[in-house]
Amino acid sequence: MIPAVRGRLKDALRGWRNLDLQGVLEWTSRAGYGARGFVYLSIGALAAMAAIELARSPASASGAVAAFAQGSLGQLWIAALAVGLFGFSLWRILQAVFDADRQGRELAALASRLGQAVSALAYSALAWSLLELLDELEDIGEADENQSARQMAAEVMALPFGHWLLIGVAVFVAGVGVAGIVQLFRPDFGQHLGCSRQTHRWACMVGRVGYAARGLAFLPLAYTLGRAGWDMSAAEARNLGGALQALEAQPFGSPILFLTGLGLAAFGLYALVEARWRRIDPPDPT
């Protein structure tokens, strides 16, 4: 009995030694793209439902995930998404620090890698916020979410030159929004997908729409953050859910919100496509 157990332990240890770390990193990254996809599908679906009065209001990531995570498996689903988002943050670090996409060191490439580093921080923060939902799983109202955004803005402005830092965050968010809109016109969009030509065609169409919609949604978000920093008033800060609600308050706001919701869902769908077909070649850690 003891020799048999000892043999199994040796086989297990041998397996760990032969573990393909690059393979683990690849599948961790794919799980991250999948988690990002489901998060944006939730945001987009809730926004579209709010536009046609099937939901109370649009919400940011944590609120949207909570809204669709009711039931006995809700906590397990949220935990799985959080783990996946940590995996996506790891992939962003590999892109930013180790140049996993082989972008090089030109100015545009360095700017892209800087954005990926900030993205790693943002998705790590989102993952932590989802883990916090496990304490009490409930639908988070838009007011509660905006209170969190105002608290974050107040903490930033409490730092030395904090209002300028908040304005800098707003400029970055606006840059991400404009970059998303630009994806509509990039001829090399989808260059990292390794799929059939037919799949590539419809996936790129969905992805372009998704990136543009997310870009448009980020612009009012950037405006609220910039105005909060400029006026030194944390009360003016909003999160993504608040920015989407601001869209709904505009003339023809409900149709605009509905189309934006469909676009954000398209961004989520494209992330799921990337989870399946994106070429991921993590740098060799050895």
Side-chain angles (χ1 to χ4, degrees):
M1 182 68 179
I2 294 179
V5 172
R6 187 179 299 165
R8 291 177 183 176
L9 287 175
K10 288 182 178 180
D11 290 341
L13 290 174
R14 189 178 299 111
W16 280 107
R17 292 192 190 100
N18 296 330
L19 183 64
D20 182 3
L21 185 54
Q22 283 185 294
V24 171
L25 291 175
E26 176 185 349
W27 285 104
T28 299
S29 304
R30 294 194 185 282
Y33 276 107
R36 181 169 78 155
F38 284 115
V39 166
Y40 273 96
L41 280 171
S42 300
I43 297 172
L46 191 62
M49 291 169 64
I52 57 177
E53 300 184 354
L54 292 179
R56 182 176 59 186
S57 65
S60 62
S62 57
V65 168
F68 289 104
Q70 305 299 325
S72 58
L73 297 179
Q75 290 188 332
L76 180 60
W77 176 240
I78 288 177
L81 288 180
V83 172
L85 291 173
F86 279 125
F88 189 72
S89 298
L90 174 61
W91 170 240
R92 284 303 201 207
I93 292 172
L94 293 176
Q95 289 176 304
V97 179
F98 299 100
D99 195 15
D101 282 335
R102 281 69 174 176
Q103 298 182 82
R105 296 189 177 182
E106 300 295 331
L107 183 60
L110 291 176
S112 174
R113 291 168 64 181
L114 176 61
Q116 289 163 345
V118 176
S119 177
L121 296 175
Y123 280 103
S124 293
L126 176 56
W128 278 116
S129 71
L130 291 184
L131 289 178
E132 291 176 353
L133 292 179
L134 298 178
D135 293 333
E136 185 177 359
L137 181 58
E138 60 181 5
D139 190 5
I140 298 177
E142 180 266 331
D144 293 331
E145 290 192 331
N146 280 329
Q147 178 60 36
S148 176
R150 289 190 287 267
Q151 181 179 352
M152 180 276 294
E155 291 174 354
V156 171
M157 286 193 291
L159 300 172
F161 304 101
H163 68 289
W164 289 113
L165 179 59
L166 189 59
I167 291 173
V169 172
V171 170
F172 177 81
V173 173
V176 173
V178 172
I181 297 171
V182 169
Q183 298 299 322
L184 274 171
F185 312 103
R186 287 191 57 176
D188 60 346
F189 185 87
Q191 62 178 322
H192 296 295
L193 294 180
C195 54
S196 67
R197 182 175 300 179
Q198 182 178 2
T199 300
H200 190 275
R201 186 181 300 112
W202 70 257
C204 286
M205 180 179 64
V206 169
R208 289 177 192 275
V209 170
Y211 268 93
R214 191 182 72 149
L216 289 172
F218 274 21
L219 294 182
L221 174 62
Y223 172 77
T224 64
L225 295 175
R227 184 170 178 178
W230 185 260
D231 295 340
M232 289 185 286
S233 172
E236 298 182 35
R238 297 290 185 272
N239 62 8
L240 181 57
L244 291 173
Q245 189 175 23
L247 282 178
E248 188 178 20
Q250 303 305 311
F252 305 102
S254 292
I256 293 174
L257 179 63
F258 182 76
L259 293 175
T260 302
L262 293 182
L264 291 172
F267 182 85
L269 178 58
Y270 184 72
L272 296 181
V273 170
E274 290 184 292
R276 172 62 180 85
W277 284 296
R278 195 187 198 281
R279 297 187 188 93
I280 296 177
D281 185 19
D284 190 346
T286 61

